[in-house]
Amino acid sequence: MPLLPGLSASTPVGSAKVCVVDEPDELVERVDDQDRVLGMVVSRRQATQEGWLHRVAVTVCRDERGRILVHRRSERLSRFPGLYEVEVGGAVDVGESYEQAAARELTEELGLRVLPRLLFTFLNRSGVSPHWLGVHEAVVPDTVAADPDEVAWHGWLTEPELRSALLEWRFTPDSHEAFSRYLAFRTAQS
């Protein structure tokens, strides 16, 4: 298993780190505790700083053999640089659905043009600030063209390998919660 590089110039957030980096900010829509749009557009940075609810869309990527794509975030990213993730995603832009945001993020981060399937949403209180998390699933090709500005490393793990990695590697807070709920959802559907 690859080693996690050291983190630097960062602020602790729970057991993870968040670096302050000057990068373009996204505009998001504030939502309430029922995930209803409030009609207020704010920067993601402001939503995070103020603890305002907004939407984030992520996708668990599987290949035809059932393995799960895991990646390590670039050290250049402001949120959780160098940590591993089970899902690919980001903020839902103004006017986007969870599905549109998930598809856009797959294209931006992995060079994939696929339509992920929304499985469920939940109010996620782990991480930098609370947000609604839309968890998707997509079956994707083994070969991806990961954007090096977003993804430092990626690989395919079986579920048992991933369970071990979740205990040994440093993952983003969202990864643990989202993957646990993802497995429960899959079990309930079978």
Side-chain angles (χ1 to χ4, degrees):
M1 292 184 178
L3 298 174
L4 179 69
L7 302 172
S8 61
S10 53
T11 306
V13 176
S15 63
K17 307 262 184 213
V18 177
C19 287
V20 179
V21 176
D22 187 24
E23 62 184 34
D25 202 5
E26 304 160 286
L27 293 179
V28 297
E29 293 174 294
R30 287 185 57 189
V31 295
D32 66 13
D33 61 355
Q34 300 298 309
D35 196 17
R36 295 178 296 228
V37 175
L38 297 174
M40 290 181 264
V41 175
V42 298
S43 73
R44 185 173 187 196
R45 181 175 292 121
Q46 185 179 15
T48 299
Q49 289 171 345
E50 300 295 334
W52 294 333
L53 293 176
H54 57 287
R55 292 175 172 165
V56 174
V58 298
T59 302
V60 175
C61 297
R62 289 184 167 270
D63 68 4
E64 292 290 337
R65 297 179 1 205
R67 297 178 303 171
I68 299 165
L69 181 72
V70 174
H71 72 278
R72 190 176 71 241
R73 295 171 61 83
S74 168
E75 292 290 339
R76 297 176 230 167
L77 295 174
S78 63
R79 292 173 189 86
F80 308 112
L83 296 189
Y84 290 89
E85 282 191 299
V86 175
E87 65 278 341
V88 175
V92 176
D93 288 343
V94 175
E96 274 187 320
S97 68
Y98 281 110
E99 294 90 342
Q100 290 166 329
R104 176 181 47 77
E105 290 288 342
L106 285 171
T107 301
E108 289 174 5
E109 294 184 25
L110 301 178
L112 299 173
R113 295 202 181 277
V114 298
L115 185 60
R117 180 174 64 106
L118 178 62
L119 303 179
F120 57 89
T121 62
F122 70 96
L123 181 54
N124 185 11
R125 297 196 182 277
S126 65
V128 179
S129 70
H131 55 273
W132 276 92
L133 192 63
V135 179
H136 300 74
E137 179 180 57
V139 175
V140 302
D142 287 0
T143 306
V144 299
D147 177 353
D149 289 336
E150 301 263 355
V151 178
W153 170 90
H154 68 278
W156 295 95
L157 301 180
T158 63
E159 279 189 32
E161 290 170 337
L162 179 51
R163 288 177 197 272
S164 292
L166 282 163
L167 298 174
E168 297 171 20
W169 301 354
R170 293 194 56 211
F171 279 82
T172 62
D174 286 358
S175 289
H176 289 279
E177 182 73 18
F179 190 64
S180 172
R181 289 175 182 253
Y182 170 77
L183 290 177
F185 178 87
R186 284 179 53 91
T187 299
Q189 297 300 306
S190 54

